[in-house]
Amino acid sequence: MPEEDGARMSTGEPLVQSTPPFLRVGLIGDPVAHSYSPRFQQAAFDTLRIPARYELWHTPAARLIERVRSLCGEEFLGANVTIPHKEAVLPLLDEVDPLAARIGAVNTIVHRDDYLYGYNTDAPGLLYALQEQGVGELDDDDRVSLAGHTAILLGAGGAARGAAFALVEAGVKRLIILNRHLERAQMLASELQSVYDGPVFSLSDPGFLIPHPAAIIVNATSLGMHGDVSPLPVEVLARFDPDTFVYDMIYNPTQTYLLCQASAIGLRTANGLSMLLHQGALAFTLWTRRPAPLDVMRAALA
Ligand code: NAP
């Protein structure tokens, strides 16, 4: 089933809505209480009158196998997966989409006919979030192209891995990975070279960052979630052209120190809410085979 390799997934036949009393889908992670997903996923189910409930399934590592296997129950549409289980779920699934397999992380599980399928919607979610901000073009197959752009990726952890594969598959001209621990950036760079012909640079010192035109800076570190800290010193940011776009995957706080500094010097910016929305919309379509009501989901996040 996972034949579409991270693109907008097929809508196919509408989901049969007759299963009483409720279909179930939920978020598997530890912790999960902070998540915004129930808010906008439930709004989508309710709007389309799909009798499903989106639940929070707090799951410590010791209960992960049991939780994933429980998804084969007939009332389950599937699940989202978050920290710290995105990598650990892969061997528990019957089939994993090629993009998710390359990234090594699954954030969406679909249950169909006793089979569990794994996808990564974070990666295309980032691309749709960028495209919505006017960065990149949508091609005839509904894929985002970032041809001509230089991507500067801050971080080499789980979220950065998804972003890195998304950016190279969208055809960026070059990719620069900046991470505190250089060896992690180098390892990610060498993995990317198996699917990408363009140049990939690894750095640990932001001082060595050279500005490029049409640059997209993506923060995939957790720096900025608390306090006035930023993964890029403002004097480095100030080297970039005004057409540079700065995307911070963090959405809480909505305005990180990085985004404040970038907009203060005139760069275009956006926070991670749009990525959250698009990864969730793609997951919704995978579970239900229906187009996600994006406007409803967006309004529920506001
Ligand atoms: P992770 O695997 O723990 O990776 C954390 C990254 O941050 C690593 O690159 C790490 O560098 C870097 N880092 C952490 N503390 C640092 C510090 N003090 N100085 C410099 N670098 C530091 O986390 P993750 O799962 O990738 O998540 C990263 C962020 O993305 C989180 O804020 C998460 O909320 C966000 N996210 C958002 C969405 C969305 O939908 N918007 C989706 C997924 C993730 P080292 O490798 O050197 O340790």
Side-chain angles (χ1 to χ4, degrees):
M1 176 184 164
E3 74 284 355
E4 294 188 52
D5 200 4
R8 282 270 196 237
M9 316 287 182
S10 160
T11 50
E13 287 301 306
L15 180 79
V16 176
Q17 295 185 23
S18 58
T19 315
F22 269 107
L23 298 165
R24 298 172 69 193
V25 61
L27 177 64
I28 298 172
D30 181 14
V32 289
H34 64 285
S35 172
Y36 290 14
S37 291
R39 235 202 274 174
F40 70 99
Q41 294 289 6
Q42 194 60 54
F45 285 122
D46 294 348
T47 297
L48 297 189
R49 297 180 186 280
I50 296 172
R53 258 199 306 251
Y54 192 99
E55 302 170 351
L56 290 175
W57 297 328
H58 175 247
T59 307
R63 316 240 1 223
L64 183 63
I65 296 177
E66 181 192 341
R67 173 71 74 192
V68 171
R69 290 327 296 176
S70 77
L71 296 175
C72 286
E74 64 172 348
E75 74 272 33
F76 291 98
L77 294 176
N80 281 136
V81 184
T82 190
I83 290 172
H85 304 317
K86 287 186 187 183
E87 290 107 37
V89 293
L90 263 82
L92 307 179
L93 303 173
D94 296 301
E95 205 171 321
V96 174
D97 168 76
L99 176 64
R102 280 198 288 281
I103 295 168
V106 159
N107 77 322
T108 301
I109 300 174
V110 176
H111 168 226
R112 210 151 276 149
D113 302 328
D114 278 344
Y115 270 68
L116 298 178
Y117 301 93
Y119 293 87
N120 188 302
T121 67
D122 283 334
L126 169 66
L127 297 181
Y128 288 121
L130 291 173
Q131 195 270 329
E132 190 175 82
Q133 301 290 331
V135 182
E137 311 283 337
L138 263 191
D139 70 16
D140 293 344
D141 298 326
D142 218 12
R143 289 176 184 257
V144 178
S145 164
L146 295 174
H149 289 277
T150 290
I152 295 157
L153 178 62
L154 312 179
R161 287 185 62 81
F165 279 93
L167 291 164
V168 301
E169 298 202 4
V172 292
K173 193 170 166 188
R174 64 175 75 74
L175 174 66
I176 302 164
I177 305 170
L178 176 70
N179 195 51
R180 174 178 57 178
H181 291 105
L182 179 62
E183 59 284 7
R184 270 186 108 182
Q186 288 170 327
M187 274 173 56
L188 177 55
S190 72
E191 279 182 59
L192 290 164
Q193 295 292 2
S194 63
V195 291
Y196 179 60
D197 292 333
V200 185
F201 302 94
S202 314
L203 291 177
S204 64
D205 182 347
F208 290 116
L209 208 47
I210 298 166
H212 293 271
I216 308 165
I217 299 175
V218 176
N219 179 32
T221 76
S222 44
L223 262 193
M225 293 178 82
H226 309 285
D228 287 353
V229 286
S230 167
L232 267 194
V234 69
E235 60 274 16
V236 174
L237 265 183
R239 294 176 192 163
F240 284 85
D241 291 351
D243 70 344
T244 300
F245 187 82
V246 183
Y247 191 83
D248 200 327
M249 283 196 192
I250 295 172
Y251 52 82
N252 188 9
T254 52
Q255 195 69 356
T256 59
Y257 200 48
L258 170 69
L259 294 188
C260 287
Q261 292 189 315
S263 44
I265 57 176
L267 306 184
R268 295 177 299 145
T269 64
N271 70 27
L273 264 186
S274 47
M275 176 176 166
L276 181 73
L277 170 74
H278 284 283
Q279 64 75 30
L282 290 163
F284 182 91
T285 296
L286 285 166
W287 297 320
T288 64
R289 306 183 198 180
R290 305 263 302 261
L294 256 189
D295 291 346
V296 169
M297 296 170 95
R298 196 189 307 277
L301 267 177

